[in-house]
Amino acid sequence: MNNVVMKFGGTSVADADAIRRLVEIVRGEARRTGAPPVVVVSAMSKVTDAVLRMASEAATGQRETITAGVDELRQRHLTVAEALVPAAQRGPLVEQLEQQISELRAMLTALSILREASPRSLDGVASAGELLSSRVVAGALAASGFDAVWVDARRAIVTDDQYTVAAPLTAETEAALAREVTPHLAAGRLPVLGGYVGATKEGVATTLGRGGSDYSAAIIGAGIDVAEIQIWTDVDGMLTADPRVVDTPRVVSHLSFGEASELAYFGAKVLHPSTILPAVAKDIPVRILNSRKPQVAGTMITATPPRNERPITALACKRNVTVVEVTSTRMLMAHGFLRRLFEVFERYRTAVDVVTTSEVSVSVTIDDNRRIGDIAHDLREFAEVAIEPEMALLCAVGENLRSDPAFAIRMLAGLDGIALRMVSQAASRRNVTVVLRDADVALAMSQLHDAWFAQPETPKPLEAVR
Ligand code: ADP
Ligand code: ASP
Ligand code: MG
């Protein structure tokens, strides 16, 4: 198919001006490809944080904040709808927004009465952000002359019931997309969906994990086999370092699927870590683009990008992770020890990122430390445990590392003077990761970035790379 999926993140739908830019970008793509795209949008910026905060306040019985919080969200969406859709066409949209807002208010009130916020109820609340924003964007596109139709993501993406981190069910989702999305495209209509949101087979709303709209776009793109998945965001593409940490990162023009996955997994927030999986399955290119600078080429992610000359492709960091060091002089060499150790993390559904071992100890890092008390308690049944909070992962990624056996040594030399807690090189040899104090990560990343990315690359226009 010629169709593309275009995903716009929170800042790219934040207000009326942002949505006007979105409309023009969509117009350009529809013209270029000669086919309507599928548009996937995030909640307006900060809305997901706001509704989740309201849910946890409601669960602790703070009912007063619900009214003000929901009123503010209502006003924000109605104001944008008024700015983008002429009064004569606005009636049905306003009604749908009001309906969604009332549902949100009712859910929050229920949580405040029950004093609970289970993962399942949180997903009901969290899905409101994307359901609202996608209605507004569909309305704005329709008002600008597109034959745009709103598609309920809860009917298009079928997931398991791991609420707040649900995984898509591939066969069921393909069938749902064939029913809910493909017929619109075939008829020349432009489908608009909220990202991040899905539903179980029974139709209960789920979410794909924070930042999950990228993943939705890829699931939809792979499900209907589009020509390209576009992630429109607020930076020029995948950058050589985290722009919140390093002042002058550069755009990486091409990445492999493998490099993009590693960078996303190790903290490059511009992509949700699962985004690449559906793209790999169908070999669909993913492009990251800046919705404020639509003429700039951005980053292209494919299976086999052209070779670049740099020793590494990019750096990423994951901040505020926790190191758990498990020591057992008696048991480490005994078989079964590692199984027992990892079973504890599994019991508390806590993912481990980096692992290193010595004769008497195993150190692991975890990102989510909500269950750390339980984890430490269970580990102490058979080992000594030391917890180090406020640590960070710093990761160098690149296909070229495979053919550069001395890279790790140069990386460590480049970090001279900074205390490293763990070092790991994956067997794929596509990444080298160090664990250090969070307070040192800015200096460490800048030092490595200065060493490897001193030469700026001039961004190319998008037209030049098509
Ligand atoms: P969106 O709302 O469009 O999904 P996100 O905030 O989720 O946007 O992701 C974009 C942000 O990711 C950027 O503003 C930037 O701060 C952050 N980021 C972290 N690492 C990188 C990186 N290597 N390249 C680009 N952006 C990065
Ligand atoms: N709105 C969701 C979040 O803030 C999903 C996304 O933006 O991708 O996590
Ligand atoms: Mg995001």
Side-chain angles (χ1 to χ4, degrees):
M1 275 211 269
N2 265 349
N3 309 80
V4 299
V5 172
M6 308 176 75
K7 176 263 171 175
F8 292 86
T11 48
S12 305
V13 295
D15 52 28
D17 283 340
I19 297 176
R20 281 193 198 101
R21 285 193 292 273
L22 172 156
V23 170
E24 291 319 309
I25 293 169
V26 170
R27 203 189 302 284
E29 272 305 279
R31 219 176 264 146
R32 185 185 69 82
T33 60
V38 179
V39 172
V40 176
V41 296
S42 288
M44 290 183 180
S45 62
K46 308 216 165 61
V47 168
T48 310
D49 286 339
V51 290
L52 288 174
R53 193 172 51 244
M54 282 190 263
S56 69
E57 285 168 2
T60 55
Q62 302 171 53
R63 274 171 93 160
E64 330 66 65
T65 57
I66 299 175
T67 313
V70 176
D71 285 350
E72 199 183 314
L73 283 183
R74 173 178 174 275
Q75 203 47 57
R76 183 167 170 200
H77 288 86
L78 289 178
T79 304
V80 175
E82 276 165 27
L84 297 173
V85 183
Q89 297 172 32
R90 207 187 301 139
L93 172 61
V94 170
E95 206 172 288
Q96 287 144 3
L97 295 176
E98 293 285 14
Q99 163 82 28
Q100 191 64 52
I101 288 285
S102 310
E103 243 175 61
L104 174 65
R105 207 184 293 273
M107 279 189 283
L108 289 168
T109 307
L111 298 190
S112 75
I113 295 166
L114 297 168
R115 297 274 181 109
E116 70 97 38
S118 64
R120 177 170 164 152
S121 349
L122 283 179
D123 274 356
V125 171
S127 60
E130 269 73 7
L131 295 174
L132 287 164
S133 65
S134 55
R135 290 277 196 191
V136 173
V137 169
L141 284 162
S144 310
F146 287 93
D147 195 355
V149 277
W150 181 77
V151 173
D152 189 338
R154 292 167 298 188
R155 297 178 57 83
I157 294 190
V158 187
T159 72
D160 62 15
D161 61 359
Q162 291 287 315
Y163 296 100
T164 75
V165 284
L169 304 175
T170 309
E172 286 84 349
T173 300
E174 283 191 359
L177 290 167
R179 196 178 61 235
E180 303 289 332
V181 174
T182 314
H184 290 306
L185 290 175
R189 288 188 291 269
L190 186 161
V192 182
L193 296 91
Y196 178 53
V197 175
T200 62
K201 282 187 212 163
E202 292 72 36
V204 183
T206 55
T207 66
L208 306 174
R210 294 306 306 270
S213 295
D214 305 328
Y215 193 18
S216 300
I219 294 166
I220 295 168
I224 62 176
D225 220 349
V226 295
E228 185 171 291
I229 296 160
Q230 300 176 353
I231 306 293
W232 291 88
T233 183
D234 61 357
V235 284
D236 285 353
M238 180 64 81
L239 302 171
T240 49
D242 192 319
R244 295 164 297 183
V245 174
V246 167
D247 289 337
T248 52
R250 326 220 177 279
V251 181
V252 184
S253 52
H254 267 97
L255 281 172
S256 70
F257 285 137
E259 289 170 329
S261 288
E262 299 261 4
L263 288 166
Y265 186 77
F266 286 104
K269 189 186 168 225
V270 69
L271 275 188
H272 180 278
S274 304
T275 311
I276 295 300
L277 299 173
V280 172
K282 294 274 174 79
D283 197 13
I284 302 173
V286 177
R287 230 183 245 284
I288 308 177
L289 296 151
N290 189 340
S291 65
R292 283 182 174 273
K293 294 192 227 161
Q295 68 289 356
V296 172
T299 298
M300 181 67 156
I301 309 172
T302 55
T304 47
R307 273 190 74 80
N308 71 47
E309 296 309 316
R310 295 190 191 283
I312 61 165
T313 304
L315 297 163
C317 64
K318 210 176 206 182
R319 304 194 62 167
N320 271 313
V321 304
T322 302
V323 172
V324 183
E325 185 179 35
V326 185
T327 308
S328 169
T329 38
R330 279 176 301 124
M331 289 200 39
L332 188 69
M333 299 314 277
H335 59 79
F337 178 77
L338 287 177
R339 177 178 50 75
R340 221 170 148 190
L341 189 152
F342 285 114
E343 264 170 9
V344 174
F345 290 91
E346 192 186 340
R347 197 171 304 143
Y348 297 106
R349 293 190 174 284
T350 297
V352 164
D353 288 332
V354 181
V355 183
T356 59
T357 64
S358 76
E359 190 200 347
V360 291
S361 72
V362 178
S363 295
V364 307
T365 68
I366 58 172
D367 185 17
D368 172 0
N369 64 5
R370 282 176 299 179
R371 306 302 300 272
I372 190 70
D374 296 319
I375 291 170
H377 171 268
D378 289 14
L379 290 171
R380 285 196 175 109
E381 286 175 8
F382 58 93
E384 284 165 34
V385 179
I387 312 278
E388 295 171 78
E390 291 169 34
M391 305 296 282
L393 306 182
L394 174 60
C395 175
V397 172
E399 298 290 353
N400 290 350
L401 298 190
R402 294 165 191 261
S403 51
D404 184 355
F407 174 79
I409 297 167
R410 285 189 280 131
M411 175 161 170
L412 298 185
L415 294 171
D416 192 24
I418 296 170
L420 302 181
R421 181 65 185 72
M422 294 160 67
V423 177
S424 135
Q425 171 165 290
S428 75
R429 304 252 309 267
R430 199 185 277 127
N431 107 37
V432 178
T433 302
V434 296
V435 177
L436 67 181
R437 284 201 312 254
D438 189 75
D440 290 335
V441 78
L443 176 65
M445 200 181 219
S446 304
Q447 241 166 262
L448 294 183
H449 195 263
D450 286 350
W452 287 315
F453 299 100
Q455 291 303 319
E457 273 180 38
T458 340
K460 293 198 186 87
L462 180 53
E463 272 176 30
V465 299
R466 286 247 185 236

